[in-house]
Amino acid sequence: MTIRHVITAVYSMLFLAAPMGCIAGGGDESPADEAIDEAQSAIGESTCKGVTADATRAQTGFVCTNANSTSPTTYTHVGCASEYVVDFTGPNGLQTNISGWGEARPTTSTTCTDSHFELGQYTKNSGVWSPTISVTKFHGSWNSTTSTCSFVLDSGFSALPSVTADTIRLTGSAYSVSGGVTTQHKILLALRGFGAC
């Protein structure tokens, strides 16, 4: 099969699927889906480099020291929608991202699996932002044996890399979706010095 045949086949499938509402952007998204899309699209956006941070934390430690900031319940930025933004200044040595859910963990299977958070990581050296932006996503996973909720990486994502820079900017969004309603939650943005404890 030639590339032309493949392209023709793909276009045929798209056009056949269109009447059934299978193409994104067909106007069938609920407000909750749109809110999730907005939060997800902001993760890793280069425009998040240009907003004023919600908080700044000095992270001057190297061995087992943490710097962190927990968001309020609601947060957003023009150009960096639904994101809480924190700058960590003066990191001394390699830093590991230890961000996560910023409030009490969900206490039921349903509220756990309805919960998600996403993180973006940006670095700046000598006043210049790196073009490399790291992103990751997590979802709630219920343990029925212990009746506890933990957050695990979404498929295709890995932990944010440990980095060193003059400034490390973390962005995050935590939310749950239930019954078509999206609720924003607190996010904890944090770094830990990479040295051995």
Side-chain angles (χ1 to χ4, degrees), residues 25-103:
D28 293 334
E29 276 197 330
S30 70
D33 290 335
E34 290 175 8
I36 292 170
D37 289 346
E38 182 179 82
Q40 291 178 339
S41 67
I43 294 291
E45 284 292 315
S46 60
T47 50
C48 290
K49 296 176 185 176
V51 302
T52 301
D54 295 298
T56 300
R57 297 289 184 263
Q59 171 58 326
T60 56
F62 177 58
V63 179
C64 284
T65 57
N66 300 341
N68 60 68
S69 180
T70 301
S71 73
T73 302
T74 59
Y75 42 89
T76 194
H77 290 272
V78 173
C80 190
S82 301
E83 296 298 306
Y84 184 61
V85 180
V86 180
D87 284 342
F88 295 85
T89 59
N92 178 5
L94 204 58
Q95 301 292 313
T96 300
N97 190 307
I98 56 169
S99 300
W101 191 256
E103 56 190 56

Side-chain angles (χ1 to χ4, degrees), residues 4 10 19 21-22 29 32 58 74 86-87 105 123-124 126 168 177:
R4 181 176 177 212
V10 169
C22 294
E29 276 197 330
T74 59
V86 180
D87 284 342
R105 298 277 175 107
T123 57
K124 183 195 284 188
S126 302
I168 299 171
V177 183

Side-chain angles (χ1 to χ4, degrees), residues 6-7 30 49 51 53 69 77 79 88 115 138 153-154 166 181:
V6 171
I7 291 171
S30 70
K49 296 176 185 176
V51 302
S69 180
H77 290 272
F88 295 85
S115 300
F138 292 79
L153 286 163
D154 282 11
D166 296 342
V181 176

Side-chain angles (χ1 to χ4, degrees), residues 164-185:
T164 184
D166 296 342
T167 299
I168 299 171
R169 170 167 283 191
L170 300 182
T171 66
S173 179
Y175 57 92
S176 60
V177 183
S178 178
V181 176
T182 301
T183 303
Q184 200 168 41
H185 293 274

